Amino acid sequence: MVASQLTHSGEHTAIRCEGLKRRFGSTWAVAGVHLTVPAGQIYAFLGPNGAGKSTTVRMLCTLLAPTEGRAVVGGHDVVADPLQVRLRIGVALQSTALDDTQTGLESLWCQGRFYGMRRQEIARRVAELRDLIALDDALDRRVNTYSGGMRRRLDLAMALVHNPEIVFLDEPTTGLDPVSRMRLWEEVRRLNREHGTTIFLTTQYLEEADQLADRIGIIDQGVIVADGTAEELKSGVGQDLVVAQVSGDLAAAHRALADEPLTRFVEVLDNEISVSVDDGPAALSVVALTLAKVPDVDVHAITLRRPTLDDVFLSFTGHHMPAQQV
Amino acid sequence: MTETAVAGRHPNELLARPAGFTRDLASVAARSLRQVRRTPENLVQPVVISLFFFLIFVGALEGVARAGGMTDFRAFQLPVATIFAVTGVTRAPALVSDITSGYFDRMLVTPTNRLAMLLGLMVSDLVVAVLLTFPVLIVGFITGVRFVTGPLGLVAFVLTAALWGLVYAGFSYAIALRTGNATVVAQSTMLFFPFVFLTSSLMPEEQLSGWLSAVSTVNPVTYLLQALRSYISGGWDAGAALSGLGAIAVVGLVAIPLALAALRGRTSRS
């Protein structure tokens, strides 16, 4: 029996947090996270460094006790029953936690023994994982000879040795080159698609959340500021964005655009004004004409584009994702 | 043919379970001993230092000792060299690497027994400590040292020295688990100097000056050296052997609880 809970809608719930909080000294790293992840979903936690992503994952993985609130993972409370949670989850934390003195194969066997698996079980799982992680002959080499991408794939395989129901990946592709990143994405998708494994991943990359996740939670300063599918989140910003590069009296420009009936809302950041609209092509000329009528405002460029998760992030937090992380 | 369809989770199949203390202990020790085997360079320093001190002390002081009435200064020095070899050579630096790399956390999310995570390393330490006595003993034999208690005394000597190395390792683990800092762990080997020099390491107790003599009476290494020396040159002496074991027990009663408390702190979720 898969140990998970039924939600009101009848789905199995893999992860549920209710008012999860964690304080370090006087700082609330996680300030009240509520979320539900149905079994079989890929859920991405998107936010900049220090937003509370890793602290939340460490609480869900039984490494850290919540200061307040409660979390149920795989049907078991993380505080009351950590062992039962541990048996059901696979974890690949932020740093690739590998032993350079061992070979890939030895690492997998060692991990299998820590999970109490029998020899035949480990042998079978290693044979199965060999294909998923495509390390081939490298499994017989010591880990210190591996590239960054190979290390991440071994790291993922180690998290999967015991056939977990739920896998936590904390920033799985940070520091990887684009090719290795896409390869890892494909492995995560396969794992989810072919085996129904629930995946909870954290990321600072908008594209990663957009590409991989069934649902995305945007976290900033320890709370989830938005939660939904990528499309839902983006459509909340409007169908289209008209972005104008301007100089001069930005406040006046903001006022003028906000008064336009076509406008859903207006964000001003530095010299950039983003106007959220439902019909971009129709709104483009309206925005241009409106700005032209405002005294003391010079328009340098106007572009029309589809909203990105960064726009979602901006609309909920009032600031962009840090540039190097987008 | 590839087995892609089974690489992930089979519904209803829970493979993970607690392995139990003994299996976890064996798994941790096996991994640790494999690391030892693959980084033999880590054992060079304790061997070189112990042999270096043995040869220097014997070279410099043997004549003085003989003039002072000591007949076999080499036999007197061999236990000191052995203590040098086995003290502070632990898996604590490897534990710090595990903590900093995240491997320790990876183990904490498995059902592995927490106590086995530490004691498994100490099993490996015990094996290493026994091995480290061999080069010292070989050099001792080459330079003419013989055990009056025979092979059984030799075994008692090795086990006593290794047991000392094991309990002393408690300090290293306490520091490693408390700080998670490689530099602090490396510096902590300095703690050993007062232990090994404020005692009869160079001269018999009766020849130590007033303050050093006073300090040496409360230094457990004094009694450890007495026990080890009894196996080489004194002959079977239950009193010496027991006081040596008593000294080890006293240090162990301080060091091991410190290590266990540090382990509790490191594995607690607060």
Side-chain angles (χ1 to χ4, degrees):
Chain A
M1 169 69 199
V2 177
S4 54
Q5 296 186 331
L6 288 176
T7 60
H8 298 303
S9 59
E11 304 175 282
H12 286 283
T13 301
I15 301 164
R16 199 178 74 235
C17 302
E18 292 163 4
L20 203 60
K21 292 187 184 181
R22 174 68 204 200
R23 189 175 56 196
F24 294 108
S26 58
T27 311
W28 288 95
V30 173
V33 163
H34 299 265
L35 63 86
T36 304
V37 181
Q41 219 177 45
I42 301 182
Y43 186 91
F45 226 20
L46 175 69
N49 275 333
K53 302 187 300 286
S54 296
T55 305
T56 305
V57 168
R58 291 179 72 80
M59 287 192 277
L60 296 178
C61 294
T62 76
L63 284 173
L64 199 60
T67 310
E68 284 177 32
R70 151 166 210 264
V72 176
V73 175
H76 297 273
D77 189 292
V78 295
V79 174
D81 208 354
L83 176 65
Q84 289 303 320
V85 173
R86 286 175 194 140
L87 299 182
R88 288 165 176 80
I89 63 170
V91 181
L93 292 178
Q94 210 160 330
S95 49
T96 47
L98 300 171
D99 178 351
D100 280 345
T101 62
Q102 300 192 107
T103 67
L105 206 56
E106 286 164 349
S107 305
L108 291 172
W109 272 85
C110 199
Q111 192 72 0
R113 279 192 286 268
F114 289 143
Y115 275 106
M117 292 163 68
R118 301 187 185 92
R119 290 186 67 84
Q120 310 90 294
E121 289 171 335
I122 301 177
R124 198 191 78 218
R125 285 296 295 162
V126 167
E128 292 166 359
L129 289 165
R130 246 180 203 278
D131 173 65
L132 181 82
I133 58 169
L135 282 172
D136 307 320
D137 298 340
L139 272 184
D140 297 317
R141 293 211 317 261
R142 290 208 199 153
V143 174
N144 60 4
T145 66
Y146 284 23
S147 68
M150 290 161 77
R151 292 177 74 95
R152 291 296 170 115
R153 295 209 298 283
L154 177 63
D155 200 40
L156 177 63
M158 284 178 74
L160 300 176
V161 157
H162 57 297
N163 205 23
E165 292 165 25
I166 302 160
V167 174
F168 291 90
L169 305 173
D170 196 8
E171 304 202 359
T173 63
T174 299
L176 286 191
D177 61 84
V179 175
S180 304
R181 178 175 301 166
M182 277 191 261
R183 198 163 170 179
L184 201 95
W185 286 353
E186 189 43 44
E187 278 146 16
V188 170
R189 277 195 206 102
R190 266 180 68 189
L191 188 66
N192 171 259
R193 192 176 56 230
E194 296 174 13
H195 316 296
T197 308
T198 308
I199 313 237
F200 186 104
L201 68 97
T202 74
T203 183
Q204 329 179 10
Y205 300 115
L206 300 161
E207 192 194 355
E208 186 158 274
D210 208 355
Q211 288 278 321
L212 270 183
D214 298 314
R215 261 181 57 232
I216 298 166
I218 295 182
I219 182 167
D220 190 44
Q221 296 176 9
V223 289
I224 296 182
V225 292
D227 183 311
T229 66
E231 281 314 306
E232 282 168 5
L233 291 172
K234 287 182 207 166
S235 67
V237 182
Q239 283 297 305
D240 292 309
L241 277 178
V242 180
V243 182
Q245 305 285 336
V246 297
S247 58
D249 189 351
L250 285 151
H254 183 276
R255 272 195 308 276
L257 289 167
D259 289 342
E260 277 300 323
L262 280 170
T263 302
R264 290 185 60 160
F265 56 84
V266 185
E267 296 270 4
V268 180
L269 200 72
D270 303 326
N271 284 328
E272 195 176 274
I273 300 186
S274 305
V275 188
S276 167
V277 295
D278 287 327
D279 184 353
L284 192 58
S285 55
V286 176
V287 171
L289 285 170
T290 308
L291 286 174
K293 285 185 213 154
V294 184
D296 301 327
V297 168
D298 292 321
V299 181
H300 304 289
I302 297 190
T303 50
L304 171 64
R305 61 177 175 79
R306 303 274 297 157
T308 64
L309 283 173
D310 188 36
D311 299 312
V312 178
F313 192 83
L314 175 65
S315 76
F316 281 103
T317 65
H319 54 94
H320 282 288
M321 293 277 290
Q324 75 280 5
Q325 296 169 7
V326 176
Chain B
M1 150 139 187
T2 54
E3 293 286 318
T4 56
V6 285
R9 192 170 67 81
H10 306 260
N12 307 333
E13 190 190 18
L14 192 62
L15 292 179
R17 58 188 83 86
F21 177 77
T22 319
R23 248 194 95 187
D24 283 336
L25 190 74
S27 300
V28 174
R31 170 178 173 240
S32 192
L33 284 168
R34 184 156 57 218
Q35 288 179 326
V36 171
R37 217 167 50 234
R38 295 205 175 145
T39 50
E41 62 275 14
N42 291 343
L43 301 183
V44 171
Q45 188 185 325
V47 170
V48 167
I49 286 183
S50 58
L51 294 180
F52 175 81
F53 277 114
F54 179 69
L55 296 173
I56 291 290
F57 288 162
V58 168
L61 299 173
E62 193 168 33
V64 181
R66 202 169 285 144
M70 191 186 295
T71 50
D72 192 351
F73 188 67
R74 294 173 192 186
F76 183 80
Q77 275 302 312
L78 196 67
V80 180
T82 308
I83 295 298
F84 265 117
V86 300
T87 309
V89 184
T90 73
R91 300 306 297 158
L95 179 58
V96 171
S97 305
D98 279 355
I99 290 169
T100 46
S101 77
Y103 199 98
F104 193 76
D105 280 344
R106 158 160 268 154
M107 288 178 72
L108 287 179
V109 294
T110 71
T112 310
N113 183 288
R114 276 34 182 165
L115 189 59
M117 286 170 66
L118 173 62
L119 296 188
L121 300 180
M122 297 181 86
V123 168
S124 156
D125 288 338
L126 190 65
V127 174
V128 171
V130 168
L131 293 176
L132 282 172
T133 62
F134 293 172
V136 180
L137 287 168
I138 289 168
V139 169
F141 290 140
I142 292 170
T143 54
V145 177
R146 294 293 177 268
F147 276 69
V148 296
T149 52
L152 214 55
L154 180 65
V155 171
F157 178 94
V158 169
L159 289 182
T160 306
L163 207 56
W164 159 260
L166 184 69
V167 298
Y168 191 85
F171 291 121
S172 304
Y173 287 115
I175 292 165
L177 288 163
R178 194 65 77 187
T179 67
N181 182 320
T183 312
V184 179
V185 171
Q187 284 167 349
S188 73
T189 53
M190 303 258 289
L191 288 176
F192 173 53
F193 281 98
F195 267 118
V196 81
F197 283 113
L198 301 181
T199 181
S200 60
S201 48
L202 296 178
M203 286 290 149
E205 289 109 89
E206 54 274 15
Q207 290 181 22
L208 299 178
S209 62
W211 70 270
L212 189 54
S213 169
V215 173
S216 81
T217 57
V218 294
N219 184 346
V221 174
T222 305
Y223 304 96
L224 176 68
L225 287 174
Q226 280 174 3
L228 294 176
R229 282 171 181 149
S230 75
Y231 297 127
I232 299 180
S233 47
W236 290 109
D237 177 349
L242 285 176
S243 61
L245 289 175
I248 291 171
V250 166
V251 172
L253 282 173
V254 177
I256 304 296
L258 281 175
L260 293 178
L263 177 71
R264 258 196 310 282
R266 177 63 63 179
T267 58
S268 89
R269 300 193 279 160
S270 54

